[in-house]
């Protein structure tokens, strides 16, 4: 539960809270306020579910794995998330954030990506919502994930190669944060949902 009193704003009970560079405090608060205004509304939820169904391909089916079931003596079913448009669950997060960005008046999406799945999902929703989209990706990851880079560019996203530092995901995050800090008025940083290990979003 997030503590809302002024002295401890942003803290999660006794487990720390938001820790961001000073230039990003106000933009992140604006984002939090927009989320509070939008995300619980019925029309937002209706549109979110509709896009997941009609664009992404939810709900994904259950598949009865007959041979596995026979081999292990149990009824085994596979949830076919691999059939989801884009090939992963990342699209759930991307659709929700793109809707939030649109309703908050943003016209541009940026994101970081490592293996390329989050970048692909961001490129997908950027194309769907007709938003300018830029993806930051380390040079090492670009070399390893050329097919995902091709897919992002095919959907109209600009993929920015990050060569500084270790040329990996952490460096791509730094580059995306710098972009966001310089363009907060029209830009939404579409964060991946598994980034707690990378500063400055660490919860302590």
């Amino acid at each position: 539960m997030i503590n809302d009193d002024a002295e401890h704003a942003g803290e999660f009970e006794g487990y720390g809270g938001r820790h961001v560079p000073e230039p990003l405090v106000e933009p992140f608060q604006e984002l939090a306020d927009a989320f509070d205004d939008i995300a619980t509304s019925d029309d937002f939820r209706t549109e979110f579910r509709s896009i997941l169904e009609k664009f992404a391909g939810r709900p994904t089916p259950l598949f009865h794995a007959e041979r596995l079931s026979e081999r292990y003596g149990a009824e085994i079913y596979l949830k076919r998330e691999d059939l989801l448009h884009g090939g992963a669950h990342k699209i759930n997060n991307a659709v929700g954030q793109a809707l939030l960005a649109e309703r908050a008046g943003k016209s541009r999406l940026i994101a970081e990506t490592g293996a390329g799945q989050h970048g692909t999902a961001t490129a997908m929703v950027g194309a769907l919502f007709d938003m300018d989209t830029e993806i930051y990706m380390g040079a090492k990851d670009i070399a390893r994930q050329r097919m995902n880079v091709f897919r992002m560019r095919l959907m109209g996203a600009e993929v920015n190669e990050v060569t500084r530092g270790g040329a990996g995901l952490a460096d791509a995050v730094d580059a995306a944060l710098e972009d966001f800090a310089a363009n907060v008025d029209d830009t939404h940083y579409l964060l991946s949902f598994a980034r707690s290990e990378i500063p400055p979003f660490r919860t302590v």
Side-chain angles (χ1 to χ4, degrees):
M1 180 176 180
I2 298 177
N3 194 324
D4 290 326
D5 69 76
E7 184 179 355
H8 302 286
E11 294 183 6
F12 299 83
E13 295 183 343
Y15 299 97
R18 285 186 305 222
H19 301 280
V20 299
E22 188 65 30
L24 297 178
V25 171
E26 184 176 348
F28 277 18
Q29 187 58 53
E30 290 176 359
L31 179 62
D33 292 342
F35 178 84
D36 289 340
D37 290 341
I38 294 167
T40 57
S41 66
D42 289 340
D43 62 330
F44 178 91
R45 293 183 178 198
T46 298
E47 187 172 3
F48 176 66
R49 292 186 181 115
S50 176
I51 292 172
L52 287 182
E53 177 185 352
K54 297 174 181 176
F55 175 72
R58 286 210 174 276
T60 54
L62 283 174
F63 173 75
H64 183 213
E66 294 182 12
R67 289 196 293 271
L68 279 176
S69 297
E70 290 174 5
R71 179 170 180 176
Y72 293 105
E75 294 302 310
I76 298 175
Y77 290 82
L78 305 177
K79 180 68 168 164
R80 293 298 307 272
E81 292 294 278
D82 57 308
L83 298 179
L84 200 64
H85 183 37
H89 57 281
K90 302 278 188 181
I91 192 65
N92 301 345
N93 172 53
V95 167
Q97 287 201 57
L99 272 172
L100 176 62
E102 181 186 60
R103 296 190 182 205
K106 307 299 183 180
S107 59
R108 179 173 176 261
L109 299 175
I110 62 171
E112 87 293 333
T113 195
Q117 288 185 318
H118 177 62
T120 297
T122 301
M124 287 166 58
V125 296
L128 179 65
F129 287 88
D130 195 24
M131 291 182 173
D132 292 337
T133 304
E134 292 192 41
I135 311 296
Y136 288 89
M137 192 171 187
K140 291 179 180 177
D141 294 320
I142 284 179
R144 286 191 291 253
Q145 301 290 342
R146 294 191 182 278
M147 182 53 66
N148 280 335
V149 173
F150 171 76
R151 294 170 73 197
M152 287 183 266
R153 289 174 172 156
L154 185 65
M155 288 181 279
E158 181 177 343
V159 180
N160 297 307
E161 182 176 8
V162 180
T163 58
R164 69 191 188 192
L169 179 58
D171 307 289
V173 171
D174 288 344
L177 280 169
E178 291 171 4
D179 183 325
F180 181 55
N183 298 286
V184 294
D185 290 339
D186 68 348
T187 297
H188 175 78
Y189 183 178
L190 204 157
L191 285 165
S192 180
F193 51 77
R195 204 54 66 224
S196 60
E197 74 278 12
I198 297 177
F201 303 103
R202 180 179 296 137
T203 299
V204 296

